[in-house]
Amino acid sequence: MNIVPIVLAATRMLMPVPAEITDAPGRMPVDGAFTIGIAGSADERLLAGVRRTRERLSRRTGLDLPALRTGEGPATLRIRAARLGSAIPALGDDESYTLEIGDGGGDLRAPTVVGALRGLETFLQLVEGDGQGYFIRGVRIADRPRFPWRGLLIDSGRHFMPIEVLKRNLDGMAAVKLNVLHWHLTEDQGFRVESRRHPKLHQMGSDGLFYTQDELRGIVAYAAARGIRVVPEFDMPGHVTSWLVGYPELATLPGPYAIGDKWGIYDPVLDPTRDEVYTFLDGFLGEMAAIFPDAYLHIGGDENNGKHWDQSARVQEYKRAHGLADNHALQAHFNRRVAQILTRHGKKVAGWEEILHPDLPKDIVIQSWKGPQPLAEAARQGFSGLLSAGYYLDYIHTAAKHYAVDPIAADAGLDAAQAARVLGGEACMWSEFVGPETIDSRIWPRMAAIAERFWSPATVTDVDDMYRRLEPIGVQLEDLGLTHEKNADMMVRRLAEGGDVEAVRTLAAVVEQVKVYARDDSRQSTRHTPLTRLVDAARPDSREGRRVSALVAALLSGASASRDPLRATFAAWQRAGGAIAQVAADAPILANAIPLGGDLATVGRLGDEALGYLQEGAPPTGWADAARAALDAAAKPKAEVELVVVEPVRALVAAAATRRP
């Protein structure tokens, strides 16, 4: 069977790309007479979804749109869901829909309410404007997800995330058809849920920053109204320092314990040898199972270094008595008992790949953070799984790098049955270096590209087209209250402290945070460290860097029209770079950025010189070597960021160096 890649017309700004899309004749106006009508099955989820659609459409167009119509009467956009579907979202729900637009209006049809909600998000992305007003071009779409589990992990354990942060990100998730919020709720640095059975968990383990049970239920309901499951994670047996502050008797070694301040892997671990630990967990997990209705509960299971187990004579004797060869076998023993507890409470286990063991029940879900091969191995053993490796948003990789990763690797070697066990993937927003002010900018808009990888056909891989669509989608996401654009510029203004804002803005636009966890290596941060420096204001995926790279590539391919924009850019870099030291004189928070200013000015000067030599003749002897050395120095990270415009200028220098007198 030949698989034909889906190519969107240049006018289409859809993300994720639908499974099937065909242009059709006609044009449906979106004007003051535009109406939305619902026929067939409807509940409050669909009614509320249509109201949100109308409000967003009204804000975007400035039109005072008529109210929703119900029943079989006429409407511009007619919506019909065949049945309500599950009131509480569940794995495997039918999210498909069809959408047809023409001169006579539009028809959105879906088997379930959730499918209709997915179609409404596509409808909003189709709206265009021209001199005649707003409209949607004729189109036929038949859409369905490639994977049933498409998630985003938000870590509220290391840095607490207020309810409004979660709600606006749930709205963003719905806009790009994600359907799982993986909520990481406990960590060495904080226990974030109210427990009425064991109140010292949140009273002593949270610094007062926790979610009440009513707030937890509120997020579950808010997500469900958008067709999104909430899978809570209570990490165990490691990452439990905050548990042990109030209940040190759960620990392998005696306390006392204090909430963790620093980042990294902690030694404290639950004692798997004591029945009292499992009795405690039974009470707590039963309490949580009543709040979170999803079939799965995530038990973490990662990064238990086993040091406290190794130091405990009681644990070593227990291992010998039970024939447990090593700590991995001991943790599997612990996991089996926890799985039995969860089964009694009507839940299935999800966990990180460290929990993988042949003795565990096959209905668990393995989440891989180490790579696609462990996920493939889990599938071969009969376990369902998710991929998170390659989707760690806190690594600060570009959208293109995330986009290139597929939950089913090309070399996975899985047969059809094994491939079906790969349920999808989850992007992870670990919160060592994000707080409520910056988390949106680390998730969006890159998350939209990852969402496309989870929803769209595997043949949708064009990176340039992804970026073409990502820009307008990123703007549309702001309409949901997300702050990825607004807060970034606000932070730049704050850094400048009334000084030359444009200079700081220019510098911030061409730097990115150092990748993976190099940031923690450069400055030992804690959960109390303010996240307000240049590194926090910098964007993870510099659009200015992409623009300059594209201009340089075009120029070197013969497009002389790129020369003037590059000259203007290089002049701006020299001006801004020279001004940073002066701004920092009155804004000490920028002191560590002064060398970056010098680097930016140097890169701008070398770029301008290279343009001149390319146009006017060969550079003098030694210029190219000196330029390369200066670019090497500028490329070295400083202030926990790196200049992302060094490489395109390096390409210009290399081209200029080949010129002959």
Side-chain angles (χ1 to χ4, degrees):
M1 173 177 155
N2 292 325
I3 300 177
V4 180
I6 296 173
V7 180
L8 290 181
T11 55
R12 304 293 189 194
M13 295 298 175
L14 297 176
M15 184 170 278
V17 170
E20 301 174 36
I21 179 168
T22 306
D23 289 336
R27 168 179 166 134
M28 184 184 78
V30 179
D31 53 24
F34 177 85
T35 56
I36 302 177
I38 298 178
S41 298
D43 59 9
E44 182 54 33
R45 291 175 301 164
L46 184 54
L47 294 171
V50 172
R51 287 194 294 268
R52 292 193 301 271
T53 299
R54 177 184 170 277
E55 290 166 4
R56 289 162 63 187
L57 188 59
S58 183
R59 285 197 301 270
R60 184 171 164 190
T61 63
L63 296 169
D64 184 7
L65 299 174
L68 166 69
R69 297 179 180 179
T70 57
E72 298 293 338
T76 315
L77 176 65
R78 300 168 290 273
I79 302 171
R80 183 182 294 274
R83 62 184 187 279
L84 297 180
S86 305
I88 300 298
L91 178 64
D93 282 350
D94 192 337
E95 301 174 82
S96 64
Y97 67 91
T98 60
L99 178 62
E100 296 190 7
I101 303 289
D103 286 330
D107 286 286
L108 170 59
R109 298 176 181 272
T112 67
V113 164
V114 171
L117 293 176
R118 304 292 182 247
L120 284 170
E121 296 296 346
T122 298
F123 170 82
L124 283 167
Q125 292 182 359
L126 286 166
V127 176
E128 303 176 58
D130 63 11
Q132 300 177 53
Y134 290 97
F135 67 97
I136 297 178
R137 300 172 192 270
V139 69
R140 296 187 183 94
I141 292 172
D143 202 8
R144 57 200 168 273
R146 180 182 173 206
F147 293 106
W149 192 311
R150 308 177 307 280
L152 168 64
L153 179 151
I154 292 182
D155 173 10
S156 290
R158 292 174 175 87
H159 278 112
F160 181 76
M161 299 299 160
I163 291 294
E164 59 268 21
V165 172
L166 295 160
K167 286 185 174 180
R168 70 187 185 227
N169 276 280
L170 282 165
D171 286 332
M173 291 172 64
V176 294
K177 302 181 177 65
L178 294 168
N179 67 353
V180 178
L181 171 64
H182 176 163
W183 200 0
H184 188 82
L185 286 163
T186 63
E187 196 41 78
D188 293 299
Q189 294 78 17
F191 193 97
R192 303 303 185 190
V193 299
E194 176 192 18
S195 174
R196 295 173 184 170
R197 298 198 63 162
H198 304 296
K200 287 190 289 186
L201 286 171
H202 67 274
Q203 291 170 352
M204 299 180 67
S206 71
D207 282 336
L209 297 173
F210 63 89
Y211 306 103
T212 68
Q213 293 196 0
D214 285 344
E215 287 174 325
L216 297 173
R217 292 188 181 93
I219 288 296
V220 169
Y222 194 91
R226 289 152 180 78
I228 297 173
R229 300 161 49 209
V230 178
V231 176
E233 180 181 350
F234 306 106
D235 210 345
M236 60 182 81
H239 286 288
V240 292
T241 305
S242 63
W243 301 55
L244 306 178
V245 179
Y247 298 94
E249 64 271 20
L250 301 176
T252 297
L253 296 183
Y257 290 91
I259 298 172
D261 278 338
K262 296 180 179 179
W263 312 126
I265 299 175
Y266 282 64
D267 298 340
V269 60
L270 297 178
D271 187 339
T273 71
R274 291 179 175 153
D275 288 341
E276 296 88 343
V277 170
Y278 300 101
T279 300
F280 185 99
L281 290 175
D282 191 17
F284 172 71
L285 293 174
E287 186 181 19
M288 294 300 106
I291 294 172
F292 294 97
D294 196 77
Y296 291 90
L297 190 147
H298 204 293
I299 64 168
D302 60 314
E303 296 183 327
N304 170 23
N305 62 22
K307 289 183 179 180
H308 280 197
W309 284 353
D310 292 340
Q311 295 171 33
S312 169
R314 183 183 60 259
V315 169
Q316 296 308 310
E317 175 56 33
Y318 187 89
K319 288 165 64 177
R320 286 191 291 272
H322 289 78
L324 302 171
D326 52 28
N327 285 339
H328 181 61
L330 177 59
Q331 183 158 333
H333 175 82
F334 171 85
N335 291 339
R336 283 194 298 274
R337 294 197 63 173
V338 173
Q340 291 166 2
I341 290 170
L342 287 175
T343 298
R344 288 198 300 272
H345 293 296
K347 300 296 182 185
K348 300 176 184 178
V349 170
W352 300 103
E353 59 204 328
E354 285 94 330
I355 76 168
L356 181 62
H357 194 279
D359 292 343
L360 286 175
K362 290 296 190 290
D363 64 356
I364 70 172
V365 167
I366 299 296
Q367 186 167 359
S368 175
W369 65 276
K370 294 183 178 179
Q373 289 309 317
L375 178 63
E377 178 57 29
R380 279 189 283 270
Q381 293 183 31
F383 294 100
S384 296
L386 309 167
L387 185 67
S388 284
Y391 305 129
Y392 268 40
L393 294 166
D394 60 321
Y395 279 13
I396 315 298
H397 289 317
T398 63
K401 190 173 182 70
H402 293 307
Y403 196 65
V405 178
D406 195 276
I408 301 178
D411 60 351
L414 301 178
D415 62 30
Q418 293 165 345
R421 297 187 191 115
V422 178
L423 302 177
E426 287 184 357
C428 296
M429 186 66 260
W430 300 110
S431 68
E432 286 94 336
F433 298 108
V434 295
E437 187 174 76
T438 58
I439 186 170
D440 294 4
S441 70
R442 277 18 185 190
I443 297 175
W444 307 102
R446 291 181 299 154
M447 187 68 238
I450 299 172
E452 180 159 283
R453 179 58 55 241
F454 296 161
W455 177 281
S456 300
T459 53
V460 178
T461 57
D462 188 316
V463 171
D464 290 338
D465 190 62
M466 177 273 288
Y467 274 122
R468 175 186 71 84
R469 293 175 287 114
L470 191 63
E471 290 298 320
I473 295 302
V475 173
Q476 290 180 29
L477 287 167
E478 285 191 280
D479 189 45
L480 300 168
L482 290 163
T483 63
H484 52 294
E485 296 289 344
K486 177 180 69 176
N487 280 8
D489 200 57
M490 177 271 292
M491 294 177 74
V492 164
R493 294 193 301 272
R494 184 172 63 203
L495 285 168
E497 291 189 6
D500 190 340
V501 176
E502 192 55 39
V504 181
R505 184 179 289 122
T506 299
L507 176 60
V510 294
V511 297
E512 292 175 1
Q513 179 183 316
V514 289
K515 308 307 179 189
V516 193
Y517 295 132
R519 176 173 179 175
D520 197 35
D521 295 338
S522 63
R523 180 167 63 104
Q524 286 297 314
S525 301
T526 74
R527 62 191 176 96
H528 306 293
T529 302
L531 300 171
T532 56
R533 295 173 178 262
L534 177 65
V535 61
D536 303 296
R539 299 169 188 271
D541 192 350
S542 168
R543 66 170 64 98
E544 179 66 3
R546 295 197 303 275
R547 184 186 74 88
V548 171
S549 293
L551 286 171
V552 168
L555 180 73
L556 297 180
S557 297
S560 59
S562 296
R563 183 173 289 108
D564 287 345
L566 283 171
R567 282 200 183 279
T569 297
F570 296 151
W573 291 353
Q574 293 177 76
R575 191 202 71 78
I580 291 298
Q582 184 176 350
V583 178
D586 296 319
I589 195 172
L590 278 172
N592 65 351
I594 292 175
L596 281 165
D599 288 342
L600 182 60
T602 297
V603 173
R605 174 180 59 80
L606 292 172
D608 191 59
E609 290 175 358
L611 286 178
Y613 294 133
L614 282 169
Q615 189 172 19
E616 299 167 6
T621 301
W623 174 84
D625 288 340
R628 292 187 190 101
L631 290 173
D632 288 343
K636 294 179 179 178
K638 301 172 184 70
E640 301 174 301
V641 300
E642 51 194 9
L643 282 171
V644 296
V645 290
V646 171
E647 293 311 310
V649 172
R650 197 189 300 277
L652 284 177
V653 168
T658 64
R659 293 297 301 267
R660 296 288 180 265

